Amino acid sequence: MTIPVNLPDIRSRARAAFLGFAIGDALGAPVEFMTTGEIKAKHGVLKEIVGGGWLRLKPGEVTDDTQMSLCVARAIDAANGWSLEGVAREFAQWLKSKPVDVGDTCRRGIRNFMLKGVLETPFNQWDAGNGAAMRMLPVALFTLGDDDLLQRYAVEQAHITHNHPLSDAACITLGRMVHLSLMGFSKTRLRREADQLITAHPSFAFDTYRGLATGYVVDTMQTVFHYFFRGRDFEECLVGTVNQGGDADTTGAICGMIAGAFYGMEGIPRRWIKRMDRRVVDEVTALADKLIGLSACNRGMGLFPEGNK
């Protein structure tokens, strides 16, 4: 038995995932690198998109998390399918534009492509950052209905800049959790996906949450899991995540993409949408539609078993 595919609902959830991602980025960026105590002293509980922070952002402005995700989405759209070289070229154009913020590992990988045409950075034990996981959403939308493609493309895009087993595993798990959320599965089912990651890589365990929200992909995933599974709605998931501080734009963005797909457009506070850069809102929602349109799910393939609902 398989569950029927409700494409209008999937498309709406996909828009919410990409919009939720950008909102989480914009909400968390002003408190990036701050501690929980520093955030409390300045904001009490940060619940609004205020701008500022070390990057001196305008309210609703996004960072490299959303910008690099847009690069992946644009490349898929331009190729009408998957093009790893297209993704790398988009990254190169973005880097040439002198963005406000670029992670060191991302910069190194992109420059290797620009200078040498390299599409896969060598393994590096220090490359277990969250820079590949943060741009997983377009891959998840494009591969909906095909787990084999998800695994392949998740790792391919990751290895442009990050080549590490923990990063690879996090990317695949995030993609699967987005897939399940888009199809309307329960948090119990999503928790099973997180538990499978922990079985394979016990360092991701989060039941005893350590309160770390650094750029290390393990800390990032623990923070996202902790607040997503505890949260009762989209806002609670995101507010908890970004008020943990640390790499708050990335943890906020990743939590926002899962929570957006899970709770849908109706779950995203309108006041946050109104604060966002309108150009970003228009582009992420348009690209979400296009990516779902290219997916196996849209072609009537790759349905999920009903028993896993």
Side-chain angles (χ1 to χ4, degrees), residues 16-66:
F18 218 151
L19 182 57
F21 181 92
I23 287 172
D25 183 2
L27 182 69
V31 293
E32 185 181 16
F33 302 135
M34 294 174 67
T35 67
T36 53
E38 290 169 340
I39 295 170
K40 186 175 182 180
K42 183 171 183 178
H43 299 283
V45 177
L46 180 65
K47 295 182 178 180
E48 306 302 333
I49 296 174
V50 296
W54 76 279
L55 293 173
R56 300 179 181 178
L57 301 173
K58 298 176 183 177
E61 188 176 358
V62 295
T63 73
D64 54 333
D65 300 76
T66 303

Side-chain angles (χ1 to χ4, degrees), residues 143 230 282:
T143 60
R230 285 166 56 99
D282 290 344

Side-chain angles (χ1 to χ4, degrees), residues 170-225:
C171 287
I172 293 167
T173 295
L174 288 172
R176 287 173 172 164
M177 291 179 71
V178 170
H179 283 184
L180 293 167
S181 297
L182 292 171
M183 298 294 292
F185 284 79
S186 67
K187 280 198 178 182
T188 300
R189 178 63 185 87
L190 269 68
R191 176 61 197 251
R192 294 217 311 265
E193 209 61 51
D195 288 342
Q196 288 180 24
L197 172 66
I198 295 164
T199 297
H201 300 281
S203 59
F204 285 104
F206 65 97
D207 280 333
T208 302
Y209 179 54
R210 299 178 300 158
L212 300 178
T214 74
Y216 177 40
V217 74
V218 170
D219 294 343
T220 296
M221 296 290 281
Q222 288 175 338
T223 298
V224 169
F225 288 161

Side-chain angles (χ1 to χ4, degrees), residues 110-173:
I110 296 168
R111 285 187 58 81
N112 280 339
F113 168 75
M114 294 168 66
L115 297 173
K116 306 173 187 176
V118 175
L119 287 170
E120 182 173 16
T121 193
F123 164 77
N124 186 325
Q125 64 175 322
W126 307 111
D127 281 358
N130 57 23
M134 76 183 189
R135 55 183 194 247
M136 261 305 298
L137 181 58
V139 176
L141 299 181
F142 172 61
T143 60
L144 181 62
D146 194 327
D147 186 69
D148 289 339
L149 285 185
L150 167 65
Q151 294 182 66
R152 175 184 165 189
Y153 297 155
V155 172
E156 283 187 4
Q157 72 83 22
H159 284 188
I160 295 175
T161 57
H162 293 68
N163 189 338
H164 193 285
L166 294 177
S167 170
D168 294 350
C171 287
I172 293 167
T173 295

